[in-house]
């Protein structure tokens, strides 16, 4: 059933690929039937859930109510849109922006819901800072209007400079990201040197101070929230352990205890793959006096004890030592092993990687360098074989030996890449994409240098530790992107068209929309950045997040629709960059504070 | 003597304004004589200091050794430069970059030295992260070379795209600041959509993750260092208090105590302006049993007790109440006072400010709006007078009533501004600069809105609390800028010349240097950004820090000298943006964590 629900959520979310504006167009009837089926499935799950829980619990749960409201709204929207379509009026499918609600409400998205709750708790604090920030932008806009508005200045593109308060406010909002930084200042700066002070003050206050304050508020709230969650979890755990103790306790003398046999049974049930030596160790700790029973205090510690990682020192002999001891223990073999364990062995391989990097940088058309490629690969393979000869293989590839795995996988990837490369080149056909991936894999082998430097390993390990949290974060970003993509598609689809870059027809030069004539959007051939389907929308939103190239994108889409379209981009920046990116930075800060 | 030393430090630092390349040129003989006089003064101070401290203490102090080494190096440099100059060979005055050492070493710069010590402690951690970061940039550069180098792509300016590994590394380093963000991607992106993934991955790893890690390391170290400093100070304080106790103690019964009279005397000496009621209060706390003496534990608390701010509730009557009680207590007067104290009074004035903002935005050439200006001003003045009528003036302008001062000063500034404006306009001459300042002052009055919103006040107060720390920070930035400015002047002076923007001679169009022909630097008329004197250099460095407009500046100066000049800009970015800006953000983060 769980799998079925996931399937329906995926279908429902991916419907945006087939609905107009579509990547793969399907008739409205098909997508609406699919949507109704999905809604029925969500409804069915809700009914099932209501039947197995008490009415109070069911109605108290916000997510059930959210699902119900979303289902009803979607049905209403479908009916309105369908009937308008029947009389050939084009409606807006606004309910599509609500679809991520189903993803958030499914039981496995607990982490995403927690993240949303955390954001909701941060909002009041953030809101006040944001209002103050907007106030600051407006005061600066007013100053700019008064200082520069009457001078008759012109921008590099010949447009009037700083004459409209709303345009100024937009430009200054964008200036916070420094995306338009020298350009927006130049006309004023050319008039008088002193005006640069205005812009420098603006950036210091609004970029450095306000953005730091946003980070401080988000991070502070995140820590507070985290502490609360941990406290709540610890309380719940203790509470449950006390309940378990009360169920299992027997009276011995004046105190209540749990018998050793019961304790052993319980431990076996909650941790089935625990080794018996590990279990004995835990029992020894819990039953300090060897009295044959565990008292309440020690019983409550069980959950914590089970969480402790016990490192079992592997004293297994190397398989070769048992099979061919006379060879493995020979003086030549011992010398090899000592060499491999020596520091210099690591250094030599670091130098080899460095030389390898230089060879990669050189022209690979040269046959000599092609050969060197094979030499390096065989050296790397030899290194791994030597290590496996020296260290016990199961210990070397143990579960916690991340860096050995990393090392080996990189070499295997490089090996596969080089072999593929040769076989493709010897054949007549070139697959550019495969060649590119092969190339990247071959270069990634340089990452092995990280393994040799202890401090580098610490940094990378710390970053890897936030991996699981990043998944939650990815879910959060997906939900926000999906909602913005759907709204963006409704607003901007088919306004801009992509033409092959080699086309030079007048239509292709303005992305198929005469409103773009002479704009920076068309000049820089941004036509590929459009909202004509879900995939393109996601790419545009990613670009906005990462490259902050507001001025061109927002300016272009405002030209083909209305100046108010800039609000969409400002809202996106406020939500994604101020909130989401700061959460990301807070994750990294926290990971480093814990690790260092 | 202290003032004299400060004077000589100022003279020594400002010599850069007069030395070639000079803002106000003076002959080499004059500046070198001035420098020798300064050095003699520093030498004299050092000799004086050596005579009053023990030899061990003197030689153990790093700053004395720093001063001596700098003096010797400066003298050597002066002699070499002077003798080269005598035979008409142009030398490099490299020792000028060392001048800030004198500023750092003077006794009042304790805070700056502490900041430098903190940075030195952070360096090993930062260095490893920076190396890993550079490694990442290099691996990505190698990938870019292999992926895009052989395609024969061209940039928007027609230059070959990504064919030289060093150029790629520079472009990618700049990409971290997103200063060249969409441009550097476009040629690859136009070939294939997938290549945008390369750039997105690059920015996520190097801009978001690495820059956050830099912040984490700097901030973490800052906190650790701060904790150590506080612990050390607390220890020192306790140690000194114990010494004082041992000096003053007398035996009463079995324990040692300090007599009340002695305690009172001591308190009077360390806090001369303490009121006698305040002193009695402290004594009551310290001598709990009213036994006429203070025991050791309570004695040690004296320093902390003196630090506690005692709020004396002002129950002074309004002067008008004493002078003309029959008017001040009349029912009409009481009504006015109740009105002023009411919340609605604040709201009405907020609305007035809002309307005022709209009027400012409108055209002020209109005579009606000019009149409104006076109306608003009189309303504001009336507000202050009403408040002074209602609240006791000395309490209203009390030492801790920051917001009342803020409010009043803004109104006075606006009043002065408007009066100046009218008198200038009624006269025939227009001083543009004064008019601009007047305009800014008039708009700044909108900041009064901050006073009415409690949450806004909290945010601003928190930011103000880091003001004193920011002074230290300013010193730090000055020292770094000075050193970089001197180096920049030696490298780049007279390479680029500024011409009036209206000049269109071929020479003016290339900033007087044919190497800039066709470059973005010349096209965007960046000629004003040069290293031809100390002031210009400081401006260029500020622009680099704030606007991050690397590509044009570094590209331009590399064209007029050598590609290696880009290293100067990279080094500046690494020092200022990665280290100094992160310290700034850490200050703000810490201030908010403490306040919230
Ligand atoms: Na930028």
């Amino acid at each position: 059933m769980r799998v079925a629900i996931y399937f329906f959520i995926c279908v429902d979310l991916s419907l945006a690929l087939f609905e107009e504006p579509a990547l793969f167009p399907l008739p409205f009837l098909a997508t609406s039937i699919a949507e109704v089926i999905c809604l029925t499935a969500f409804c069915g799950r809700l009914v099932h859930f209501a039947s197995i829980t008490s009415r109070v619990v069911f109605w108290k749960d916000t997510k059930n109510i959210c699902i119900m409201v979303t289902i009803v709204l979607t049905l209403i929207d479908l009916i309105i849109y369908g009937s308008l379509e029947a009389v050939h009026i084009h409606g807006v499918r606004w309910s599509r922006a609500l679809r991520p609600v189903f993803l958030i409400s499914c039981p496995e998205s607990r982490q995403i819901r927690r993240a949303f709750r955390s954001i909701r708790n941060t909002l009041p604090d953030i809101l006040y800072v944001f209002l103050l920030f907007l106030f600051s932008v407006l005061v600066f806009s007013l100053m700019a209007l008064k200082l520069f508005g009457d001078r008759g200045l012109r921008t590099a593109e010949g447009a009037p400079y700083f004459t409209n308060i709303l345009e100024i406010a937009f430009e200054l909002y964008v200036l916070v990201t420094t995306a338009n930084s020298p350009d927006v200042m130049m006309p004023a700066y050319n008039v008088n040197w002193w005006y640069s002070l205005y812009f420098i003050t603006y950036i210091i206050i609004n970029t450095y101070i306000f953005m730091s304050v946003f980070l401080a508020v988000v991070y502070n709230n995140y820590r507070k929230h985290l502490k609360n969650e941990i406290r709540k979890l610890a309380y719940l755990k203790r509470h449950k352990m006390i309940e378990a103790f009360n169920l299992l306790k027997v009276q011995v003398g004046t105190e209540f205890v749990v018998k050793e046999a019961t304790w052993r049974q319980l431990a076996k049930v909650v941790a089935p793959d625990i080794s018996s030596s590990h279990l004995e160790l835990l029992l020894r700790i819990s039953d300090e006096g060897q009295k044959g029973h565990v008292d309440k205090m020690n019983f409550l510690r069980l959950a914590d004890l089970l969480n402790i990682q016990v490192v079992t020192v592997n004293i297994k002999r190397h398989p070769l030592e048992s099979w061919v001891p006379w060879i493995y223990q020979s003086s030549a073999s011992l010398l090899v092993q000592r060499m491999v364990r020596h520091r210099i062995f690591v250094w030599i391989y670091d130098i080899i990687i460095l030389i390898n990097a230089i060879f990669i940088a050189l022209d690979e058309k040269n046959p000599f360098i092609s050969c060197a490629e094979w030499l390096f690969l065989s050296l790397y393979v030899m290194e791994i074989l030597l290590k496996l000869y020296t260290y016990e293989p199961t210990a070397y590839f143990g579960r916690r030996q991340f860096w050995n795995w990393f090392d080996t996988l990189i070499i295997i990837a490089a090996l596969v890449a080089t072999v593929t490369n040769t076989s493709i080149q010897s054949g007549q056909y070139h697959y550019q994409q495969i060649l590119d991936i092969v190339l990247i894999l071959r270069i990634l082998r340089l990452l092995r240098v990280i393994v040799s430097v202890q401090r580098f390993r610490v940094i990378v390990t710390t970053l890897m530790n936030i991996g699981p949290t990043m998944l939650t974060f990815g879910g959060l970003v997906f939900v926000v992107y999906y909602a913005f993509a759907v709204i963006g598609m409704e607003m901007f689809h088919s306004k801009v068209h992509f033409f092959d870059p080699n086309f030079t027809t007048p239509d292709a030069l303005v992305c198929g929309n005469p409103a773009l004539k002479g704009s920076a959007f068309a000049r820089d051939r941004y036509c590929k950045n459009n909202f004509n389907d879900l995939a393109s929308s996601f790419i545009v939103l990613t670009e906005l997040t990462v490259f902050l190239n507001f001025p061109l994108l927002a300016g272009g889409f405002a030209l083909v629709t209305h100046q108010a379209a800039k609000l969409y981009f400002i809202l996106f920046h406020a939500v994604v960059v101020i909130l989401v990116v700061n959460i990301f930075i807070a994750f990294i800060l926290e990971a480093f504070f814990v690790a260092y």
Side-chain angles (χ1 to χ4, degrees), chain A:
Chain A
M1 171 143 171
R2 185 168 288 177
V3 175
I5 285 298
Y6 270 110
F7 171 74
F8 283 118
I9 290 175
C10 284
V11 169
D12 193 41
L13 286 175
S14 58
L15 278 179
L17 289 171
F18 306 102
E19 287 161 343
E20 207 180 314
L23 194 60
F24 315 105
L26 280 182
F28 171 67
L29 201 66
T31 58
S32 58
I33 288 173
E35 181 146 31
V36 170
I37 292 172
C38 290
L39 292 180
T40 317
F42 301 141
C43 235
R45 193 175 151 277
L46 217 58
V47 169
H48 169 73
F49 192 63
S51 69
I52 56 166
T53 49
S54 77
R55 189 172 291 189
V56 179
V57 171
F58 181 80
W59 287 104
K60 245 187 167 174
D61 197 339
T62 329
K63 55 178 186 295
N64 296 331
I65 294 164
C66 279
I67 296 179
M68 268 184 283
V69 170
T70 312
I71 291 176
V72 171
L73 286 177
T74 309
L75 284 176
I76 293 173
D77 183 31
L78 263 179
I79 292 167
I80 294 176
Y81 184 83
S83 41
L84 282 177
E85 203 77 339
V87 294
H88 298 288
I89 299 170
H90 191 72
V92 173
R93 278 299 319 274
W94 47 267
S95 72
R96 303 194 299 162
L98 298 174
R99 279 181 194 156
V101 169
F102 298 120
L103 178 65
I104 301 170
S105 305
C106 84
E108 272 66 35
S109 309
R110 196 175 305 120
Q111 297 293 339
I112 298 180
R113 281 202 300 279
R114 195 173 288 166
F116 267 103
R117 225 177 303 136
S118 166
I119 288 178
R120 206 184 50 202
N121 291 337
T122 319
L123 272 187
D125 280 347
I126 278 280
L127 200 69
Y128 276 100
V129 182
F130 191 72
L131 285 179
L132 194 56
F133 163 69
L134 283 187
F135 175 70
S136 151
V137 170
L138 283 178
V139 169
F140 270 99
S141 305
L142 205 52
M143 268 187 215
L145 180 69
K146 291 283 134 182
L147 283 176
F148 312 123
D150 297 336
R151 303 269 167 99
L153 300 179
R154 305 233 145 227
T155 62
E157 291 174 354
Y161 178 72
F162 275 9
T163 51
N164 176 321
I165 182 96
L166 289 176
E167 266 170 31
I168 297 173
F170 176 74
E171 288 290 337
L172 289 185
Y173 187 94
V174 172
L175 184 56
V176 168
T177 68
T178 74
N180 56 353
S181 75
D183 314 5
V184 78
M185 180 183 75
M186 288 321 282
Y189 183 67
N190 283 335
V191 170
N192 195 327
W193 175 91
W194 283 100
Y195 292 137
S196 70
L197 282 186
Y198 166 87
F199 291 95
I200 290 173
T201 315
Y202 179 84
I203 289 211
I204 289 177
I205 292 180
N206 290 295
T207 303
Y208 289 109
I209 296 185
F210 269 106
M211 292 299 135
S212 306
V213 172
F214 281 126
L215 176 61
V217 171
V218 168
Y219 179 47
N220 202 32
N221 209 287
Y222 167 78
R223 281 205 303 187
K224 220 162 56 186
H225 199 73
L226 194 78
K227 257 187 226 158
N228 281 344
E229 294 271 348
I230 289 172
R231 208 174 292 149
K232 220 193 286 175
L233 283 179
Y235 171 77
L236 272 177
K237 193 164 76 179
R238 203 181 148 75
H239 187 74
K240 291 209 168 138
M241 287 308 285
I242 290 176
E243 270 181 12
F245 182 78
N246 287 336
L247 281 175
L248 301 173
K249 69 185 174 186
V250 290
Q251 195 164 12
V252 170
T254 57
E255 57 170 359
F256 287 99
V257 297
V258 170
K259 284 275 171 204
E260 211 170 78
T262 324
W263 189 92
R264 215 186 285 262
Q265 255 179 318
L266 180 72
K268 274 277 178 201
V269 170
V270 290
D273 52 351
I274 196 170
S275 73
S276 54
S277 60
H278 188 175
L279 188 67
E280 285 310 311
L281 181 74
L282 295 186
L283 186 59
R284 193 80 61 84
I285 295 166
S286 297
D287 180 12
E288 284 158 309
Q290 312 294 331
K291 287 175 256 165
H293 51 71
V294 176
D295 63 8
K296 186 171 177 179
M297 208 194 74
N298 277 311
F299 181 83
L300 298 186
R301 275 164 52 193
L302 175 60
D304 300 324
L305 282 178
L306 284 174
N307 272 335
I308 294 170
Q309 291 284 349
V310 174
V311 179
T312 33
V313 177
N314 204 319
I315 43 158
K316 259 194 225 165
R317 287 198 303 176
H318 198 287
L320 285 176
E321 202 175 345
S322 357
W323 298 341
V324 279
W326 44 277
I327 295 179
Y328 197 73
Q329 297 287 8
S330 69
S331 60
S333 160
L334 285 177
L335 184 73
V336 168
Q337 290 171 41
R338 263 186 52 205
M339 255 171 52
V340 172
R341 284 177 210 272
H342 204 279
R343 269 199 149 177
I344 292 178
F345 183 75
V346 176
W347 293 346
I348 288 174
Y349 266 94
D350 284 348
I351 293 168
I352 291 176
I353 293 173
L354 231 76
I355 299 171
N356 192 181
I358 296 166
F359 270 77
I360 292 178
L362 295 174
D363 187 21
E364 61 186 298
K365 298 288 179 293
N366 188 324
F368 168 67
I369 287 176
S370 257
C371 280
E373 181 65 26
W374 286 105
L375 172 71
F376 283 116
L377 266 179
S378 50
L379 279 173
Y380 294 138
V381 171
M382 207 178 77
E383 184 198 2
I384 295 214
L385 291 179
L386 278 173
K387 280 190 177 165
L388 285 180
Y389 181 78
T390 310
Y391 305 105
E392 206 279 313
T394 59
Y396 187 76
F397 285 120
R399 241 200 294 173
R400 335 207 90 243
Q401 301 298 321
F402 169 76
W403 290 106
N404 294 343
W405 281 101
F406 179 83
D407 216 8
T408 314
L409 284 179
I410 279 181
I411 296 303
I412 293 175
L415 204 63
V416 169
T418 309
V419 172
T420 316
N421 194 21
T422 316
S423 58
I424 287 180
Q425 281 187 337
S426 63
Q428 295 315 311
Y429 27 78
H430 277 49
Y431 299 103
Q432 192 54 49
Q433 226 131 25
I434 294 176
L435 277 179
D436 287 342
I437 293 169
V438 159
L439 193 75
I440 290 170
L441 286 180
R442 277 167 57 204
I443 293 172
L444 280 184
R445 111 181 60 149
L446 302 181
L447 294 184
R448 296 194 61 211
V449 169
I450 297 173
V451 185
S452 340
V453 185
Q454 167 66 20
R455 293 291 281 269
F456 285 0
R457 260 154 60 184
V458 172
I459 298 168
V460 174
T461 313
T462 309
L463 286 174
M464 309 274 280
N465 284 339
I466 45 172
T469 336
M470 282 299 129
L471 278 182
T472 309
F473 184 77
L476 193 75
V477 169
F478 176 79
V479 167
V480 174
Y481 272 33
Y482 192 91
F484 270 98
V486 167
I487 298 170
M489 287 197 295
E490 292 291 356
M491 287 169 68
F492 306 120
H493 75 89
S494 318
K495 300 285 183 194
V496 163
H497 292 282
F498 175 59
F499 293 85
D500 189 278
N502 298 325
F503 273 37
T504 46
T505 59
D507 211 32
L509 286 176
V510 292
C511 307
N513 195 322
L516 286 174
K517 201 169 177 189
S519 70
F521 189 94
R523 199 188 54 228
D524 287 5
R525 306 306 292 268
Y526 263 42
C527 319
K528 221 173 190 172
N529 297 316
N530 57 44
F531 286 88
N532 293 354
D533 56 65
L534 194 67
S536 303
S537 309
F538 264 75
I539 294 165
V540 174
L541 295 180
T542 312
E543 282 181 19
L544 270 177
T545 315
V546 171
F547 299 132
L548 301 170
N549 47 359
F550 273 77
L552 266 80
L553 287 174
F557 283 105
L559 278 178
V560 296
T561 51
H562 186 264
Q563 289 298 317
K566 286 174 176 173
L567 280 178
Y568 171 84
F569 292 90
I570 289 181
L571 193 69
F572 182 76
H573 176 265
V575 170
V576 173
V577 178
I578 292 182
L579 218 57
V580 177
V581 168
N582 276 329
I583 292 175
F584 180 80
I585 298 177
F587 279 149
I588 295 179
L589 287 183
E590 190 62 24
F592 267 78
F593 290 162
V594 171
Y596 262 59

